[in-house]
Amino acid sequence: QVQLVESGGGSVQSGGSLRLSCAASGYTYSSYCMGWFRQAPGKEREGVAAIDSDGRPTYANSVKGRFTISQDNAKNTLYLQMDNLKPDDTAMYYCASDIWPRCTDHWDEPSTYQHWGQGTQVTVSS
């Protein structure tokens, strides 16, 4: 049974950093396109970053240069390093897994992914 569990969220001040983790079990997550999404209250879920089975990352323009997606295959864990955080980054963050090894042009669409974690809250104060 596929399970994704996020951790690492918290409250930080603007300009601070956090590293989110997504521990995968029940399958080898690194064989698939993996994504990070976020959802703020009253807003739609949006794609933040994705990484495919070859380790190639893709980022939303809003986080490019500030966030870094990576994976530790030995630990079956996906990460999202978030630097220079802004209040607009405040949201619930989710990791998700596709069933294909390559991330497509639709990597930032929630419907692309089949498995989801429960989310971890990130709050950035000004």
Side-chain angles (χ1 to χ4, degrees), residues 18-22 29-30 32-37 47-60 63-73 77-83 93-98 103 107 113:
L18 284 173
R19 188 176 80 157
L20 305 183
S21 300
C22 172
Y29 85 102
S30 60
Y32 307 100
C33 173
M34 299 290 295
W36 282 101
F37 283 75
V48 174
I51 189 166
D52 68 14
S53 61
D54 289 335
R56 291 177 296 191
T58 305
Y59 299 96
V63 306
K64 200 171 292 184
R66 300 187 299 120
F67 290 11
T68 303
I69 189 172
S70 63
Q71 54 195 17
D72 185 332
N73 295 340
T77 300
L78 180 74
Y79 300 101
L80 184 68
Q81 176 68 40
M82 306 185 296
D83 298 316
Y93 282 72
Y94 302 88
C95 68
S97 174
D98 195 354
C103 297
W107 70 269
Y113 299 83

Side-chain angles (χ1 to χ4, degrees), residues 38-55:
R38 65 187 181 186
Q39 188 167 18
K43 295 187 177 181
E44 294 185 352
R45 191 168 296 191
E46 63 172 349
V48 174
I51 189 166
D52 68 14
S53 61
D54 289 335

Side-chain angles (χ1 to χ4, degrees), residues 108-122:
D108 57 347
E109 299 175 14
S111 60
T112 298
Y113 299 83
Q114 285 67 46
H115 306 291
W116 291 83
Q118 82 292 346
T120 185
Q121 178 67 38
V122 172

